[in-house]
Amino acid sequence: MKLKRGLKIFFGVLVFFTLPSLLFFSFLYFKYNENLPHGTQGQEADALAKAMLTSLNYEAYENTKLIEWTFKKRHHYEWNKTNNTCKVYWKEYSVDLDLNNPNNHKAFVHSFDVHGELAIELIEKAVKYFNNDSFWLVAPYKVFDTGTERRIVDLPNNKKGLLITYTAGGSTPGDSYLWLFDETGKPSSFKMWTSILPIDGLEATWSDWITTSTNAQLPTFHKLLFLGLEIDDIKTSF
């Protein structure tokens, strides 16, 4: 009898905590989930991608050697684009990444070298952080990266979207992003079809753009559903 009553209490608590979450997820799924749109590869898609780069002063970004930023007030980066190296800081940890030669990665705790399993764990985490957080900073500039596929997508009101699929590179190859533009041709948001999100087609804004000291244009805020992703402390140099 006591066992039966205990099971009732257990399942009652379980339903109490999980049912609202399931209902909320179901609401979001049916409201926002979209199938990956069909698009057409070719010169028109490439031209739209180049127009986006022009709107962001791509030449200034290319000439920028160093970019420093903080993502969500948690992870700080000092990225040397020319050498393709990056210092990653979070909590009491730091990792020196050599993105051209992973054998040169180094991990630190309170500025002391660490090795073995701890170093491997910290390095893997730093690479994952960098791939994600740098994407939220410079994704528009990556539309012609090796392994990308560009497609033009017809949208309502005679508008065009740019669908980018990453077939290689990063932490999650195979992800796709549909760029949407404002009246000037500047990216204003993208919709995402990624392996880490349970809902396809979620839209995130790209806003609060700043012009840095090197004239590169970078975003400082993204809104994803009810979440805000802040990018602070942006510094650039040649």
Side-chain angles (χ1 to χ4, degrees):
M1 201 67 179
K2 289 183 179 180
L3 177 61
K4 186 175 181 181
R5 185 171 181 272
L7 289 173
K8 281 186 176 181
I9 293 174
F10 172 77
F11 285 110
V13 171
L14 185 66
V15 169
F16 178 80
F17 283 105
T18 59
L19 185 57
S21 298
L22 289 173
L23 291 174
F24 182 64
F25 175 78
S26 298
F27 166 77
L28 293 178
Y29 183 86
F30 287 109
K31 182 176 176 63
Y32 294 106
N33 192 74
E34 296 181 16
N35 292 326
L36 183 68
H38 296 289
T40 304
Q41 290 180 280
Q43 292 183 350
E44 191 177 3
D46 289 351
L48 185 57
K50 291 176 181 177
M52 178 174 71
L53 293 178
T54 299
S55 75
L56 295 175
N57 196 353
Y58 177 68
E59 184 177 354
Y61 170 76
E62 277 291 275
N63 291 332
T64 299
K65 179 180 179 180
L66 300 172
I67 303 179
E68 185 175 340
W69 79 98
T70 300
F71 186 75
K72 294 176 61 177
K73 303 186 185 300
R74 299 176 185 173
H75 311 146
H76 185 74
Y77 301 87
E78 296 174 5
W79 180 24
N80 186 316
K81 286 172 61 257
T82 302
N83 296 336
N84 208 19
T85 59
C86 187
K87 296 180 180 292
V88 186
Y89 304 89
W90 74 101
K91 297 181 180 179
E92 66 270 28
Y93 310 116
S94 63
V95 174
D96 291 348
L97 295 178
D98 185 337
L99 300 166
N100 291 330
N101 188 352
N103 291 326
N104 292 333
H105 294 336
K106 295 180 180 179
F108 305 86
V109 178
H110 292 301
S111 300
F112 294 100
D113 286 357
V114 294
H115 304 278
E117 292 185 4
L118 178 58
I120 292 172
E121 179 183 342
L122 292 175
I123 288 168
E124 289 178 349
K125 189 171 290 188
V127 170
K128 184 178 179 180
Y129 286 163
F130 174 80
N131 287 340
N132 178 79
D133 300 355
S134 66
F135 190 81
W136 284 105
L137 183 71
V138 301
Y141 297 108
K142 297 173 64 65
V143 293
F144 283 98
D145 279 8
T146 301
T148 56
E149 296 178 350
R150 293 162 296 282
R151 292 176 174 83
I152 196 162
V153 176
D154 292 324
L155 302 174
N157 301 318
N158 295 318
K159 293 184 177 182
K160 303 290 184 181
L162 179 66
L163 181 65
I164 304 296
T165 299
Y166 293 88
T167 63
S171 298
T172 55
D175 293 349
S176 294
Y177 303 83
L178 177 64
W179 287 99
L180 307 176
F181 306 96
D182 63 18
E183 62 278 358
T184 69
K186 197 171 185 175
S188 58
S189 66
F190 62 21
K191 293 186 175 183
M192 299 174 283
W193 287 262
T194 70
S195 60
I196 64 172
L197 291 176
I199 299 175
D200 289 336
L202 284 178
E203 185 172 354
T205 65
W206 282 68
S207 65
D208 297 67
W209 293 84
I210 62 169
T211 301
T212 69
S213 60
T214 60
N215 289 321
Q217 296 190 49
L218 297 172
T220 62
F221 187 76
H222 306 282
K223 183 178 181 181
L224 174 59
L225 290 177
F226 317 109
L227 304 175
L229 306 179
E230 298 179 352
I231 302 174
D232 303 310
D233 308 320
I234 296 177
K235 299 175 184 177
T236 60
S237 61
F238 293 111

